[in-house]
């Protein structure tokens, strides 16, 4: 179950306090917040800024620069399709199309049932056995349209929890 | 009771094809059949079409099976017990024979990848048994200048793509007076078609750690960072564990091997930004900022991480160091061609039957590499184009496959050897679409600091679209070639200045995909060489 931070920022404060001694602590902090909450709620920006003695604009600028950081709640499972050249040469353009149709969303979208978010990624380092898909932290190689559907249905029926 | 020692990789490619499930099935089988199983989760040998590859130790050496599916496990286990262990024969249809005898491995010169796939990546004993940390002991007995000179002698050049002499970079940091210096490992391996860095980190992490400690001793740095792309969660996990082990055993920390010297190491994760593979952008990112490139000079060797002298080296550069220190600069230098010394781990990828890691001395050709290793395309269709050196590298037509794999030879051919990624495309590829993708990639990944890259890439996509739909095609081709020239000459870093390389190669070497005659006069005038 994802944590609800709508009213309580105490865990975010704890994360910042644990990591802020690091040199260049902002990325480790943002990673940890996203790991625990699933995204970086906009309301945490002021807290991060204050604690690191930076402006909220600076923090927001960093969040928006990196593809990985997001400020809205993602689906329960994060699906990423590699769209780099090595996967293209093995059919990823077709897979991308199929995935969007199958889930009925575009990149950076989340399915209506909040089960899946779909994103692209440039290279998962599995370039001899593409097309590649990453679901959460698991990597899947040689993903055909059929295999993609199988994976989606496996995750769909999985018991919620993390 | 029968005792079986088996190896199943815990490396990303093998895992992506079901290695965990195979390992579980092997365990279950041995429990049911009451065999005593010693299952090692090793790294990968880098023969990806055979993954998951399962190996079994015998008195004659390790025998392999692959690619293994869970459903093959019972029959393989039977073959092992009834044939392999008693008679040293294999009858299974997935039997590959002695691993070391496989042609794909025998034809290579593995200096950096000598241990990959052989050892358990987190076994310090395995590492020590195969020459591990012997380079470090030599370094501890040498002066810092002697270490730097050994690296200069080796002829090693940066394996990240820029090919700058590593020894010279170290010398600069060594000579820079400062109370604090850093070693930063660039593990933001973002080029499509490359996975050698990942393999090092997942299959032989102590080698990278050793290389970084030696770098620290050489330049007088006591702190190191590995900037790792977050797309590599398995590498992250293995590196973190390896650092804990190396610290516990006294290789990292405040008293390296009892020498009184200090080196501490930490992994920092990127956040899906290709530009952070550019060294100054990487440093900005490590400082907790947007990964916007810095103007050079000052070089990071003078003013790097938080303004301090910093060595920024690629994973492969640092991983070559233990061998160089252990065997000497000359031993490494004897491999290679011209000014490209030593070996390069090539990565054969894309539409290929036998993709994988191929470490060879510089100087071979693309064609011979294809002949010796590729086995043709996965689709069984003819090869039409090969992109070498990542998304900023040229697409080579078959007529250029005989260029020697050497930094200067590639540069002379307007191509890029880069990090050694080789991505194969068959004859169904549309080169206009690939050119468009190069520009689109730059739109997504530009840091936005300089105009030619930030705006030029967007205009590039638009111009290519107009060419695609035959909207004033001839005029737009001139526009495209002018735009490429502006990006090449006006961009601050390689992202903007090299994005045109694949684009130009696409329209010059594959003009038919742009509906141009092959002797197009417009193109003859522009983009020479």
């Amino acid at each position: 179950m994802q944590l609800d931070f709508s009213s309580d920022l105490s865990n975010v404060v704890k994360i910042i306090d644990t990591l802020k001694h690091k040199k260049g602590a902002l990325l480790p902090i943002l990673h940890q917040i996203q790991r625990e909450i699933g995204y970086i709620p906009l309301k945490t920006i002021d807290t991060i800024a204050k604690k690191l003695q930076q402006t909220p604009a600076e923090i927001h600028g960093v969040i928006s620069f990196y593809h990985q950081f997001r400020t809205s709640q993602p689906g329960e499972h994060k699906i990423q399709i590699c769209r780099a050249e090595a996967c293209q040469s093995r059919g990823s353009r077709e897979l991308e199309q199929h995935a969007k149709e199958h889930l009925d969303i575009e990149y950076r979208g989340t399915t209506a049932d909040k089960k899946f978010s779909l994103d692209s990624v440039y290279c998962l380092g599995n370039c001899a056995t593409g097309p590649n898909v990453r679901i959460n932290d698991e990597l899947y190689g040689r993903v055909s349209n059929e295999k993609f559907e199988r994976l989606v249905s496996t995750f769909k029926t999985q018991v919620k929890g993390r | 009771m029968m005792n079986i020692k088996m190896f199943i990789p815990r490396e990303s490619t093998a895992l992506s094809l079901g290695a965990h499930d195979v390992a579980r099935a092997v365990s279950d089988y041995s429990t049911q059949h009451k065999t005593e199983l010693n299952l090692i989760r090793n790294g990968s040998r880098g023969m990806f079409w055979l993954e998951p590859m399962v190996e079994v130790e015998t008195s004659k050496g390790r025998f392999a099976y692959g690619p293994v599916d869970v459903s093959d496990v019972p029959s393989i286990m039977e073959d092992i017990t009834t044939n392999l262990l008693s008679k040293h024969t294999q009858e299974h249809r997935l039997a590959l024979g002695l691993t070391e005898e496989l042609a794909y491995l025998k034809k290579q010169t593995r200096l950096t990848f000598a241990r990959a796939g052989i050892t358990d990546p987190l076994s310090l004993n395995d590492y020590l048994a195969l020459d591990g940390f012997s380079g470090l002991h030599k370094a501890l007995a040498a002066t810092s200048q002697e270490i730097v000179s050994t690296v200069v002698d080796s002829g090693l050049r940066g394996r990240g793509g820029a090919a700058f002499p590593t020894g010279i970079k170290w010398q600069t940091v060594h000579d820079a007076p400062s109370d604090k210096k850093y070693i930063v490992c660039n593990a933001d391996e973002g080029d499509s078609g490359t996975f050698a860095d990942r393999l090092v980190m997942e299959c032989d992490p102590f080698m990278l750690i050793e290389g970084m400690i030696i770098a620290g001793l050489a330049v007088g740095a006591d702190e190191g960072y590995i900037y790792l792309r977050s797309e590599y969660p398995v590498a992250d996990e293995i590196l973190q564990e390896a650092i804990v082990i190396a610290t516990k055993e006294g290789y990292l920390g405040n008293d390296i091997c009892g020498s009184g010297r200090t080196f501490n190491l930490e992994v920092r994760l990127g956040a899906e930004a290709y530009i952070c593979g550019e060294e100054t952008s990487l440093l900005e990112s490590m400082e907790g900022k947007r990964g916007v490139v810095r103007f050079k000079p000052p070089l990071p060797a003078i003013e790097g991480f938080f303004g301090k002298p910093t060595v920024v080296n690629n994973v492969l550069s640092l991983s070559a160091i233990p061998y160089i220190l252990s065997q000497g600069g000359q031993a490494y230098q004897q491999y290679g061609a011209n000014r490209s010394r030593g070996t390069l781990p090539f990565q054969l990828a894309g539409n290929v039957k036998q993709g994988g890691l191929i470490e060879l001395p510089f100087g071979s050709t693309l064609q011979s590499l294809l002949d010796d290793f590729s086995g043709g395309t996965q689709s069984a269709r003819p090869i039409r184009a090969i992109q070498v050196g990542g998304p900023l590298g040229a697409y080579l037509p078959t007529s250029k496959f005989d260029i020697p794999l050497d930094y200067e030879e590639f540069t002379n051919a307007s191509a890029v050897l880069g990090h050694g990624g080789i991505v194969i495309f068959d004859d169904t590829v549309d080169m206009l679409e690939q050119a468009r993708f190069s520009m689109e990639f730059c739109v997504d990944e530009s840091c936005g600091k300089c105009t030619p890259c930030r705006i030029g890439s967007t205009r590039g996509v638009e111009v290519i679209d107009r060419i695609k739909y035959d909207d004033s095609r001839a005029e737009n081709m001139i526009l495209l070639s002018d735009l490429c020239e502006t990006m090449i000459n006006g961009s601050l870093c390689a992202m903007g200045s090299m994005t045109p390389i694949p684009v130009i190669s696409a329209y010059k070497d594959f003009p038919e995909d742009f509906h141009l005659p092959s002797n197009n006069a417009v193109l003859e005038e522009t983009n020479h060489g």
Side-chain angles (χ1 to χ4, degrees), chain A residues 31 61 66-68 122 126, chain B residues 13 230 270 272 289-290 444:
Chain A
H31 271 301
Y66 296 94
H67 298 307
Q68 186 170 3
Y122 288 111
N126 201 25
Chain B
T13 298
S230 61
E272 296 177 16
K289 303 179 199 152
R290 295 162 69 89
D444 270 7

Side-chain angles (χ1 to χ4, degrees), chain B residues 160-162 191 274-275 277-280 293-294 296 391-393 416 441-442 446 450 453 487-488 490-502:
Chain B
D191 284 356
Y274 176 77
I275 193 62
E278 197 280 336
E279 60 178 3
T280 63
V293 301
R294 296 177 184 170
K296 286 193 281 193
L392 309 179
V416 179
F441 179 65
C442 188
S446 171
C450 66
C453 177
M487 289 177 73
I488 290 169
S491 300
L492 201 52
C493 82
M495 178 90 226
S497 68
M498 290 175 68
T499 287
I501 292 178

